[in-house]
Amino acid sequence: MSLANNFYNLIFKRNSVYVPVVFASAFAFGIGFDLGTTAFWDSWNKGKQWKDIRHNYVQQEE
Amino acid sequence: MASKATTARTLLRSSAWSTSSRTAAPSFKQSFGARFASTQSSTAPASSVFTSGATLAAATGLTVGSIAWYTHLYGELPLIGGVSASSLADNGLHPAEHPWSHKGVLDSFDHASIRRGYQVYREVCAACHSLDRIAWRNLVGVSHAVDEVKEMAAEVEYEDGPNDQGEMFQRPGKLSDYMPKPYPNEEAARAGNAGALPPDLSLIVKARHGAADYVYSLLTGYIDPPAGVTVREGLNYNPYFPGGAIAMARVLFDGLVEYPDGTPATTSQMAKDVTTFLHWAAEPEHDERKKIGLQALIIFGSLLTLSLYTKRFKWTPLKTRKIVYVPPKDAH
């Protein structure tokens, strides 16, 4: 069976599978996208944000 | 009759379209004249309101009239702008653009600079300027840790109440209190500053033409008045301030504050830091806004690309079809 066929049988054939797959992948994409863009943002603005300088002012509270 | 004419027109249009991009049927030319003749009356342009002479006259009259009215009202032609005697001295020198570290569309504020700027505000500007829209809690996680802010707030006495005796009382500040004001009211502020009101600085960066560049230039721009310019007693010459004479004297001098992080406190460094702090105060959502903007552009950009592709995909059969008109052989 071809890849597309596999795909169809696995995901699209039943609505009871299809809808949860949509929800789950939206959830996973949301988290992944946020992690990705945040990582880029943090490296682009390295050293400028509060979390980069916080250690200068807060003693480790352990 | 009418439906027949419409059909003929449609055919005409499609065959005209097919000649421009594709090869037409060989018999096209002969059929054209005949068909056109039969449908001429319905394709001739109707005399429209857009082509009538009365419309032209009315539009001309309206244009000339409104220009005349504007010129009469304001004394100069619209859109062109008259010659005026306004000068840099009246409007203030245009501030130079400065390379702020948060200038780019993806650049966050430099929070170490915000922290130093807060120190300059507290030690210098707060003697005259309020900062009404910033509460102590706003500094938490931006320039200071929560314990530092609690301590700073507690050093200030706030009036609270009434208590169960109906009396107001003093208490140390809390995170939810707003920055203390230097003067109880506007009159006191004016009285303390030779009649001039030091404006609240919360939104000053948004409230001035030139924004942060202006505030920085103002703070560092004090010079002696040029020859021929006299400044009234109690005012100071600053070319960036509209009119040139400002009631605020130069307040920043090298070494005025001492930065705990070891940054040399030159005039320009302090001006840069306090301006960055005031920019944050006016736009606390700045960092978040730019980050969300980046995310939104990526998402919307992908969705746009996807929908453009889908549109072309779906329209392909329609866009690539070919319509050829073959006239009936037995036409007279």
Side-chain angles (χ1 to χ4, degrees), chain B residues 150-173:
Chain B
K150 276 183 182 164
E151 230 166 79
M152 295 189 303
E155 284 166 17
V156 183
E157 291 244 299
Y158 284 86
E159 188 179 63
D160 204 346
N163 60 11
D164 49 9
Q165 313 293 292
E167 279 150 18
M168 305 301 279
F169 57 91
Q170 299 293 117
R171 60 152 176 81

Side-chain angles (χ1 to χ4, degrees), chain B residues 67-102:
Chain B
I67 291 176
W69 188 31
Y70 183 97
T71 311
H72 172 71
L73 260 182
Y74 299 108
E76 60 181 50
L77 287 170
L79 305 177
I80 298 171
V83 180
S84 85
S86 84
S87 65
L88 288 179
D90 292 335
N91 297 323
L93 203 56
H94 198 80
E97 263 187 46
H98 296 289
W100 300 100
S101 60
H102 54 266

